[in-house]
Amino acid sequence: MPKIKKKLTPAQKRAKAERRKLYQTVFINGRQVRIKRPPMVDGMPVDEFIEKNADPIWLHQEGMWELIPYEESGDEVEWYTDPETGEEEGQIPF
């Protein structure tokens, strides 16, 4: 006699849906394994979202200096010279 399939209860359906949200199934060494899904923001990985949307000040505050965009120029640093006093800003005043 064939085995009769039982339908899932509403609680079991909710539990199954939650597991699908939290975990993904991948093959590791030829076996199916459930691993946690990587965190996503607006459908893209968190690292990619930060690279596209973070401003340099926030990146500096969080210590992500390697992501701060900068333009490399061959010129020396130019100091701002105050037109009234003629002193350059950024130098020691004494």
Side-chain angles (χ1 to χ4, degrees), residues 18-53:
E18 286 295 319
R19 272 195 308 275
R20 282 196 172 171
K21 285 182 187 176
L22 294 177
Y23 298 97
Q24 66 183 11
T25 305
V26 296
F27 283 94
I28 298 178
N29 293 331
R31 297 182 182 190
Q32 253 184 336
V33 181
R34 269 196 317 233
I35 61 170
K36 283 198 172 210
R37 288 188 185 272
M40 303 288 257
V41 177
D42 292 338
M44 63 178 84
V46 174
D47 296 334
E48 184 180 335
F49 181 81
I50 289 174
E51 286 179 25
K52 288 186 177 184
N53 297 312

Side-chain angles (χ1 to χ4, degrees), residues 49-72:
F49 181 81
I50 289 174
E51 286 179 25
K52 288 186 177 184
N53 297 312
D55 63 335
I57 294 173
W58 185 85
L59 290 170
H60 179 73
Q61 290 172 344
E62 297 298 317
M64 300 178 178
W65 298 289
E66 66 276 359
L67 298 178
I68 297 175
Y70 71 96
E71 293 181 19
E72 196 171 314

Side-chain angles (χ1 to χ4, degrees), residues 70-81:
Y70 71 96
E71 293 181 19
E72 196 171 314
S73 63
D75 300 335
E76 293 291 323
V77 176
E78 295 181 22
W79 297 100
Y80 171 75
T81 304

